[in-house]
């Protein structure tokens, strides 16, 4: 009875679609216009990906830090390693560059050599004052500039690590953007229209290779590169999938129909992003090309079925009805499983993945509906396919491949299982070697100029990824207590000894500099004051603090003097090493700061990302398990047979294991970009299994329960589509390897690899397992 109801529903649906062709086309056109209009809401993201849920402890601590001290990722650095700066012409060009940046409305503060201040004691007013290091009237004298260089490197330790590297001679300037514009489009406008042209002009004038970095700059240039790749992916995916489609079908009209459906899929996917007002991120940027790659498989199944029906009975009306009623249900299930694979990302608790999972799963279903409607409707207006359009159905290489597969499945199943087991054992050894890792800049394009600049700062200044330590003294003005400063200094000394971290900056640096200034700038006195010195040195410092404009450290202490911060920067060391650094710092913090007197919090973008990566990997593994169970549940509903579900799941677990093994052997770590592979690949690879099982079940009913005949029949009909769709998907996902982003390359390459093994599994392992599970019934047939 259930089967009768299902068949009746799909037959009625076929009649509805074919009787209301014009109305359906009008509805599709109207929806396309509506979703096309939603493109006006599309915007690029201006923030980093937050991989943690909003209420995660690390996020709450980071938000608390931002409330106390404001946005920390507002620093852009411009540096070089070239002695040619200290010539009158080049120094003038450098001064002009700094003056121009300082005038920009988006810039809050510029700290550079050209207008550097030094702390000087005013004995009359009993205060410290900031005076210019350089006399502008003397910068035309090269000897004077060399003297300034000598003073900077040997008499101003306060700026060491902040503006220069004493051992290598590298120099940099610090440009602090206004905190309120860091996560807005104004940041992009400043960097693209002001900073980049100014840097280019300086380089042409001076011949000095200027290195630019810092999180605002990296994020902006990265977003611009990502924007450029969206068109590349869409164009490449559309071209390669359509080209392969044409090679298989040798039909311009079939190819044209498919291209139209895929273009509508692109319009609808961007329109969905705009409708929900989601920002374009590194993940949502790949949704349109994903829909192209996935959508072409629907076209292959429906058009291939239509041509098979025409070849069999040459009745167009009957063929179109069967395309909808026979293939509609199986392609619905395949698209549901693919959508389920993407939808599992919605349960990770991460906004970035939630948006990606929601938009992709919606568009997987909508491109299926578009294909189900458009293919039969368009073909209903066209004449019957010619013989040349049906030629591919009987190509020698396809027939030879299916003959070989049939022989292996019927007579050599033990060999198939032996290969399966060997590949599984091989992959398990590789799985044991897998590691979990990731970094804030590890996914960035290695060939990009800004990535080489990052490496420069890692070498010269130990990185650009901010790590913050916030200290709560639990009382007003507790920060200025000498005991607190000494504890901070001890922690800073530990940080300086860690090769993964840069020289830290905090209030301690200014207090040390104050003592040096009190002793007339003698660098030997760059140290914390003693108990005896504290009173009169700090009284000078407090008087100086009245001039807030010149107070370089004003953002390192809150208004009440209760909270302070220590800022350092971290190399790109990966999440595993980052966890070790965090543990080492936390151990030292616990030893230095009594918990009853101080609350010390480790935070910053680098740490939040490290915790986010670990959290995401754990949750994506859970989502993969959930995807497998969900898809198994859908298949159980469709086939009502535990054996059939087991056969399908066992078949498609193998490709995931092999890909994991390859990752282990090649040293590719589990990280956000690579863990995505498994849910996506499983949801797609199981599609061919569903097509085979649906056809097998249908033929089993038609043949009165003859197992072998039904398996061979299902293999013959679905084998062509399985081969075609697998090749298209493998090559289609390989398009993502054209990216300059490491994560996108890994995503495309690993999914292609998984689908390659899935093709082998679905053509050989699945039918073999069906025959093995039904061995007793198959033997009775032979008798």
């Amino acid at each position: 009875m259930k089967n009768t109801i299902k068949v009746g529903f799909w037959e009625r649906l076929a009649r509805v679609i074919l009787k209301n062709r014009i109305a359906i086309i009008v509805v599709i056109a109207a929806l396309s216009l509506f979703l096309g209009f939603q493109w006006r809401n599309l915007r690029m993201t201006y923030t980093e990906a937050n991989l943690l849920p909003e209420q995660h402890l690390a996020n709450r601590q980071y938000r608390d830090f931002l409330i106390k001290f404001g946005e920390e990722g507002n620093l852009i650095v411009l540096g070089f390693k070239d002695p040619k700066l200290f010539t009158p012409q080049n120094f003038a060009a450098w001064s002009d560059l700094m003056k121009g940046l300082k005038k920009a409305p988006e810039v809050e503060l510029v700290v550079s050599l050209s207008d550097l201040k030094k702390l000087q004691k005013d004995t009359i007013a009993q205060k410290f004052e900031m005076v210019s290091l350089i006399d502008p009237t003397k910068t035309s004298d090269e000897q004077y500039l060399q003297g300034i260089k000598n003073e900077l490197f040997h008499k101003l330790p306060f700026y060491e690590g902040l503006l220069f590297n004493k051992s290598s001679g590298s120099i940099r300037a610090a440009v602090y953007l206004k905190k309120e514009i860091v996560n807005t489009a104004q940041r992009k406008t400043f960097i693209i229209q002001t900073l980049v042209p100014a840097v280019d002009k300086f380089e042409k004038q001076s011949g000095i290779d200027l290195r630019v970095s810092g999180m605002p700059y990296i994020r902006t240039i990265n977003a611009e590169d990502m924007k450029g790749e969206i068109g590349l992916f869409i164009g490449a995916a559309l071209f390669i999938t359509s080209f392969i489609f044409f090679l298989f079908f040798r039909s311009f009209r079939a190819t044209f129909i498919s291209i139209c459906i895929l273009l509508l899929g692109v319009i609808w996917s961007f329109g969905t992003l705009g409708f929900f007002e989601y920002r374009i991120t590194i993940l949502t940027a790949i949704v349109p090309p994903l829909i192209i790659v996935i959508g072409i498989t629907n076209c292959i199944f429906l058009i291939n079925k239509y041509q098979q029906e025409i070849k069999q009975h040459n009745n167009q009306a009957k063929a179109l009805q069967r395309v909808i009623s026979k293939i509609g249900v199986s392609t619905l299930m395949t698209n549901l499983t693919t959508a389920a694979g993407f939808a599992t990302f919605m349960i990770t608790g991460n906004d970035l993945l939630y948006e990606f999972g929601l938009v992709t799963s919606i568009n997987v279903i909508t491109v299926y509906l578009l294909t189900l409607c458009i293919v039969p409707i368009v073909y209903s207006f066209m004449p019957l396919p010619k013989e040349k359009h049906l030629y591919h159905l009987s190509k020698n290489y396809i027939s030879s491949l299916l003959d070989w597969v049939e022989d292996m499945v019927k007579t050599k199943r033990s060999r198939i299982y032996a290969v399966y087991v060997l590949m599984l054992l091989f992959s398990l050894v590789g799985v044991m070697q897998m590691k979990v890792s990731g970094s804030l800049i590890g996914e960035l394009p290695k060939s990009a100029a800004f990535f080489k600049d990052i490496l420069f700062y890692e070498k010269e200044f130990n990185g650009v990824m901010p790590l913050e330590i916030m200290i709560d003294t639990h009382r007003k003005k507790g920060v200025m207590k000498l005991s607190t400063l000494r504890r901070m200094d001890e922690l800073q000394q530990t940080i300086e000894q860690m090769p993964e971290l840069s020289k830290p900056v905090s209030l301690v640096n200014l207090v040390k500099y104050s003592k040096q200034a009190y002793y007339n700038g003698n660098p030997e006195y760059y140290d914390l004051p003693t108990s005896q010195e504290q009173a009169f040195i700090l009284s000078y410092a407090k008087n100086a603090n009245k001039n807030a404009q010149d107070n370089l450290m004003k953002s390192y202490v809150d208004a009440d003097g209760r909270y302070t911060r220590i800022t350092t920067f971290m190399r790109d060391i990966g999440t595993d090493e980052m966890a070790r650094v965090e543990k080492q710092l936390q151990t030292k913090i616990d030893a230095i700061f009594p918990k009853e007197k101080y609350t010390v919090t480790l935070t910053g973008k680098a740490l939040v990302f490290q915790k986010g990566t670990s959290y995401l990997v754990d949750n994506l593994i859970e989502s993969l398990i959930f995807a497998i169970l969900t898809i198994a549940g859908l298949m159980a509903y469709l086939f009502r047979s535990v054996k059939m579900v087991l056969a399908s799941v066992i078949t498609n677990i193998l490709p995931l294991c092999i890909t994991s093994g390859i990752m282990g052997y090649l040293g590719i770590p589990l990280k956000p970009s690579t863990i995505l592979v498994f849910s996506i690949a499983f949801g797609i690879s199981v599609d061919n299994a569903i097509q085979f099982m649906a056809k097998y079940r249908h033929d089993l009913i038609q043949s009165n329960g003859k197992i072998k005949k039904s398996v061979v029949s299902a293999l013959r009909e679905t084998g062509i589509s399985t081969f075609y769709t697998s090749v298209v998907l493998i090559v289609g996902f390989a398009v993502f390897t054209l990216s300059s982003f490491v994560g996108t390359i890994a995503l495309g390459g690993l999914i292609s690899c998984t689908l390659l093994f899935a093709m082998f599994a679905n053509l050989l392992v699945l039918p073999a397992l069906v025959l093995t599970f039904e061995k007793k019934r198959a033997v009775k047939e032979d008798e």
Side-chain angles (χ1 to χ4, degrees), residues 96-107 110 178 190 194:
D96 290 342
L97 172 63
M98 293 299 110
K99 287 176 185 176
L101 294 178
K102 189 177 288 187
K103 290 178 182 177
E106 298 87 356
V107 174
V110 175
K178 290 180 178 176
F190 166 73
T194 303

Side-chain angles (χ1 to χ4, degrees), residues 426-492:
F426 169 82
S427 63
L428 289 176
V429 174
V431 169
M432 300 299 291
Q433 302 175 38
M434 288 183 72
K435 295 180 180 179
V436 176
S437 187
S439 73
L440 197 57
I441 62 175
E443 306 289 353
L444 301 180
K446 299 290 189 290
S447 59
F450 74 84
F451 191 84
K452 295 174 184 176
D453 291 349
I454 292 172
L455 297 181
F456 170 82
Y457 284 101
E458 289 212 338
K459 180 181 178 183
E460 299 296 328
F461 296 95
N462 278 26
V464 294
M465 295 187 296
L467 179 66
E468 301 282 354
I469 302 170
M470 185 171 71
I471 301 167
D472 179 5
T473 63
H474 297 296
R475 53 180 167 176
K476 286 187 177 182
K477 300 184 180 179
V479 169
M480 297 306 295
K481 297 278 291 182
L482 188 57
S483 57
T484 300
L485 295 172
R486 285 175 176 168
R487 294 178 197 278
M488 291 172 64
D489 188 37
E490 185 178 350
L491 179 58
Q492 289 190 198

Side-chain angles (χ1 to χ4, degrees), residues 346-573:
M346 296 168 64
I347 66 171
T348 59
N350 174 262
D351 290 342
L352 183 72
L353 284 174
Y354 178 88
E355 292 173 7
F356 173 66
L358 177 64
V359 172
T360 311
S361 56
I362 288 174
N363 280 280
V364 166
I365 299 302
T366 55
V367 80
Y368 157 74
L369 294 173
L370 283 171
T371 311
L372 187 66
C373 293
I374 292 174
V375 168
I377 288 174
V378 172
Y379 270 113
S380 70
F381 288 108
M382 290 183 171
L384 288 171
K386 298 178 181 178
E387 187 62 33
K388 65 179 182 179
H389 298 142
L390 308 178
Y391 173 71
H392 71 96
L393 297 173
S394 55
K395 282 183 180 177
N396 290 333
Y397 73 89
I398 291 291
S399 298
S400 299
L401 173 64
L402 294 179
D403 288 341
W404 176 78
V405 169
E406 182 182 340
D407 179 60
M408 292 293 293
V409 168
K410 290 170 69 175
T411 63
K412 299 170 184 174
R413 290 196 293 276
S414 58
R415 294 186 186 181
I416 295 174
Y417 298 148
V419 172
Y420 184 104
V421 172
L422 287 174
M423 293 177 77
L424 191 60
L425 292 173
F426 169 82
S427 63
L428 289 176
V429 174
V431 169
M432 300 299 291
Q433 302 175 38
M434 288 183 72
K435 295 180 180 179
V436 176
S437 187
S439 73
L440 197 57
I441 62 175
E443 306 289 353
L444 301 180
K446 299 290 189 290
S447 59
F450 74 84
F451 191 84
K452 295 174 184 176
D453 291 349
I454 292 172
L455 297 181
F456 170 82
Y457 284 101
E458 289 212 338
K459 180 181 178 183
E460 299 296 328
F461 296 95
N462 278 26
V464 294
M465 295 187 296
L467 179 66
E468 301 282 354
I469 302 170
M470 185 171 71
I471 301 167
D472 179 5
T473 63
H474 297 296
R475 53 180 167 176
K476 286 187 177 182
K477 300 184 180 179
V479 169
M480 297 306 295
K481 297 278 291 182
L482 188 57
S483 57
T484 300
L485 295 172
R486 285 175 176 168
R487 294 178 197 278
M488 291 172 64
D489 188 37
E490 185 178 350
L491 179 58
Q492 289 190 198
Q493 290 175 24
T494 299
I495 293 172
E496 287 187 41
Q497 293 168 4
M498 299 174 69
E500 302 88 356
L501 301 176
S502 69
K503 185 176 179 180
V505 179
S506 75
L507 178 67
V508 170
N509 301 64
L510 182 59
V511 174
K512 287 182 176 182
Y513 193 19
S514 300
K515 180 176 177 178
Q516 178 189 352
Y518 186 82
Y519 288 101
N520 301 315
N522 189 337
E524 292 182 4
Y525 288 94
Y526 185 74
D527 199 357
L528 286 176
T530 63
S531 301
Q532 292 78 14
E533 296 167 326
Q534 179 187 11
F536 49 85
I537 290 179
L538 291 186
S539 68
Y540 269 67
K542 288 175 183 176
N543 290 333
N545 285 345
K546 293 174 183 177
N547 188 352
Q549 292 297 320
D550 287 335
N551 184 5
L552 294 177
M553 308 305 289
K554 63 182 178 180
S555 62
Y556 283 83
V557 182
D558 76 319
D560 294 330
R562 171 178 169 174
Y563 295 91
T564 188
R565 65 194 271 203
I566 298 173
T567 300
T568 182
F569 292 91
M570 184 179 287
R571 291 176 179 267
D572 180 30
I573 55 177

